[in-house]
Amino acid sequence: MSKLGRFFKGGGSSKSRGAPSPQEALARLRETEEMLGKKQDYLENRIQRELALAKKHGRQNKRAALQALKRKKRLEKQLTQIDGTLSTIEFQREALENSHTNAEVLRNMGLAAKAMKAVHENMDLNKIDDLMQEITEQQDVAQEISEAFSQRVGLGDGFDEDELMAELEELEQEELNKKMTNVRLPNVPSTSLPAQPDRTPGRRPGMPATAQRPRPASSRRAEEDDDAIKQLEAWAI
């Protein structure tokens, strides 16, 4: 029995027991393509032999040459039919492969959906909300602990800052008074300074100065004291 006959016979038995699997159908189609390919090679060889036979007889035996050409035409017609059949089988095989791929994708997606459903059945939204709230609370506690550790411990935070500033100013004033006590003021001259000549414009030399008189000693002493105080303040700064 030929492969083609076995294929149709097997197809009938498969139909009686149910639809074949995609893998089985693809295997049968590949077998059919292989068988038709071999049939093509056989027909091509037959065509070449008939053509050579027609050329051999030629004008010597026209009847034999024409018979060879007729057989060549029938073989070429069969070869053309096989080419069309192979194209149809190839298209069917590609469609079946795509269908099988789609079926596998659909099956795997269905399994994934069932797995997700099984996982979600064990999950309670209320429990998830409680868990997220608990996580948030613990994060807040951790943040407070971190801030507590990062704060510098102040040992003297109970004192009044204004009182401390006032005490500091008193200490500075006492130190300044001590420095002023230790400073020796310059001696004030007891004699009066000679009178300066009058340089008033329009006045002749030798004329007695009546408008300008020397300053008293008390005024000069006050100015010298002011100068000494300014020096002391500059030294203290």
Side-chain angles (χ1 to χ4, degrees):
M1 184 182 294
S2 64
K3 290 184 178 180
L4 186 60
R6 288 197 302 270
F7 173 75
F8 285 112
K9 183 178 180 181
S13 60
S14 299
K15 183 177 180 181
S16 61
R17 67 174 180 270
S21 64
Q23 293 84 354
E24 183 180 356
L26 288 172
R28 293 293 184 86
L29 288 175
R30 291 190 183 97
E31 289 180 0
T32 303
E33 286 180 330
E34 182 180 358
M35 181 194 64
L36 292 177
K38 292 179 180 180
K39 182 70 174 181
Q40 279 183 323
D41 295 336
Y42 171 75
L43 292 176
E44 288 175 353
N45 292 331
R46 285 284 307 275
I47 289 171
Q48 294 298 326
R49 287 201 301 268
E50 296 296 337
L51 181 60
L53 186 60
K55 290 180 179 179
K56 178 181 178 182
H57 291 291
R59 294 183 179 179
Q60 296 177 1
N61 190 351
K62 291 183 179 181
R63 184 173 177 277
L66 291 175
Q67 292 294 330
L69 291 176
K70 288 179 181 180
R71 290 190 298 269
K72 179 178 107 31
K73 290 293 183 180
R74 290 195 300 269
L75 294 173
E76 288 176 348
K77 185 177 180 180
Q78 294 180 20
L79 185 61
T80 302
Q81 291 175 349
I82 291 176
D83 289 337
T85 303
L86 283 174
S87 298
T88 302
I89 292 176
E90 183 179 2
F91 175 79
Q92 187 179 13
R93 178 174 54 80
E94 292 177 354
L96 182 58
E97 288 176 350
N98 293 332
S99 299
H100 175 61
T101 302
N102 294 333
E104 286 295 322
V105 171
L106 182 61
R107 185 175 67 86
N108 293 332
M109 291 178 66
L111 292 176
K114 291 180 180 179
M116 291 177 63
K117 183 178 180 181
V119 171
H120 290 161
E121 285 179 353
N122 298 326
M123 298 176 65
D124 188 1
L125 294 178
N126 295 327
K127 292 182 179 180
I128 294 174
D129 293 337
D130 295 339
L131 177 61
M132 295 304 298
Q133 185 176 0
E134 184 177 356
I135 291 174
T136 303
E137 292 176 356
Q138 294 303 319
Q139 288 178 349
D140 294 338
V141 172
Q143 183 66 25
E144 291 178 0
I145 294 174
S146 300
E147 292 178 356
F149 282 137
S150 63
Q151 289 179 358
R152 187 176 63 181
V153 178
L155 299 178
D157 291 342
F159 298 103
D160 189 0
E161 198 169 318
D162 294 336
E163 294 180 359
L164 295 177
M165 290 298 297
E167 185 176 355
L168 180 61
E169 291 178 358
E170 291 178 1
L171 293 175
E172 291 178 350
Q173 187 64 35
E174 290 178 2
E175 188 68 21
L176 181 60
N177 293 336
K178 289 180 182 180
K179 291 180 180 179
M180 292 181 64
T181 303
N182 295 330
V183 173
R184 301 181 65 182
L185 298 175
N187 295 325
V188 180
S190 60
T191 60
S192 61
L193 295 176
Q196 298 293 329
D198 190 5
R199 300 180 183 274
T200 303
R203 179 175 183 156
R204 290 181 296 174
M207 184 177 293
T210 59
Q212 184 177 2
R213 295 180 180 180
R215 290 177 296 175
S218 61
S219 177
R220 289 197 303 273
R221 188 178 297 118
E223 292 180 356
E224 291 174 357
D225 292 341
D226 292 339
D227 294 337
I229 291 173
K230 290 180 180 180
Q231 294 177 2
L232 179 60
E233 291 178 352
W235 176 81
I237 294 174

